Amino acid sequence: MNLDTETLRKIAHLSRLELAEEDEQKMKDSLSSIITWVEKLSELDTTGVAPLTHLTQEINAWREDVVANILPREQGLQNAPLHDGLFFRVPKVI
């Protein structure tokens, strides 16, 4: 498929791209080859092929959400630059 300059400029505008006039022909050739390649996919017989909802058949292995004190507070705060004994101290952000 060949693109005309008007269509290329519309695509560039919608994509928020600024194309110099000297780059338009190169971009038209590139986009035309991409569209031609994608059009070849329509030649495939996809009858009976279910659409993908996920790329793999992997299923998440969820762990139980169990509350536990794995790291003691004192050990968690020992490398903090500022703390008040209970919490991290951070600069106020407004």
Side-chain angles (χ1 to χ4, degrees), residues 53-84:
T53 56
H54 301 288
L55 294 177
T56 65
Q57 299 298 324
E58 298 292 323
I59 298 174
N60 287 335
W62 300 102
R63 63 174 172 81
E64 289 294 320
D65 192 12
V66 179
V67 177
N69 288 327
I70 297 173
L71 183 66
R73 180 175 290 159
E74 295 79 24
Q75 188 178 353
L77 292 173
Q78 89 184 35
N79 289 327
L82 292 173
H83 64 85
D84 64 2

Side-chain angles (χ1 to χ4, degrees), residues 6-37:
E6 182 181 327
T7 305
L8 176 69
R9 288 179 180 162
K10 183 175 182 178
I11 291 170
H13 174 73
L14 292 172
S15 303
R16 305 295 190 255
L17 296 175
E18 293 181 20
L19 288 178
E21 288 186 28
E22 57 270 6
D23 294 334
E24 285 182 357
Q25 185 60 43
K26 184 178 175 184
M27 185 62 75
K28 280 196 312 190
D29 295 340
S30 180
L31 281 174
S32 292
S33 67
I34 292 170
I35 292 171
T36 302
W37 181 80

Side-chain angles (χ1 to χ4, degrees), residues 40-55:
K40 287 187 178 199
L41 294 176
S42 66
E43 298 173 7
L44 294 173
D45 180 23
T46 58
T47 307
V49 178
L52 285 177
T53 56
H54 301 288
L55 294 177

